[in-house]
Amino acid sequence: QVQLAESGGGSVRAGESLRLSCTGSGYTYGRVCMGWFRRGPGTEQKWVAISYSGDGSTRYHDSVAGRFTISLDTLKNSAYLNMNNLKPEDTAMYYCALNWGRCTGGLIAPTDFAYWGQGTQVTVSA
């Protein structure tokens, strides 16, 4: 079945940037919704950004809008999250997720996604 693997996490200082990668396997091609979620210390998992491969549309959580950018490479079964101007509150485990078909037009929840990666840690110090 589908497997996802994240990479690119690390420790940076506030104001610096990171690029996370997510590479999928177990499928050849499909129009999918890709999502990035994160879970900080003592918090539940929350959505960060989503993108539909069929049209390139994107949505961002208010906490990252203008700083983070999600992009997809369908031929490589990959998704990326460019994170600029990182803040200490961005510290979290970041997860890549996939679901078949269009992204939701309403509320975004982890239950909307069928497949998940193991996560990659991002730590931002002041």
Side-chain angles (χ1 to χ4, degrees), residues 31-34 50-58 72 101-103:
R31 293 180 175 86
V32 300
C33 179
M34 301 297 300
I50 60 172
S51 181
Y52 176 51
S53 68
D55 60 12
S57 60
T58 60
L72 308 180
R102 297 180 182 273
C103 299

Side-chain angles (χ1 to χ4, degrees), residues 4-7 9 20-23 34-41 43-50 70 79-81 83 90-98 110 113 115-122:
L4 304 175
E6 304 97 334
S7 63
L20 306 183
S21 299
C22 170
T23 299
M34 301 297 300
W36 286 96
F37 289 73
R38 66 186 182 185
R39 184 180 65 202
T43 67
E44 65 183 15
Q45 191 165 229
K46 298 179 180 179
W47 76 280
V48 176
I50 60 172
I70 184 172
Y80 307 93
L81 186 68
M83 304 184 295
D90 295 319
T91 295
M93 186 74 75
Y94 283 72
Y95 299 89
C96 174
L98 178 152
F113 295 85
Y115 305 100
W116 293 82
Q118 295 178 329
T120 184
Q121 178 68 38
V122 172

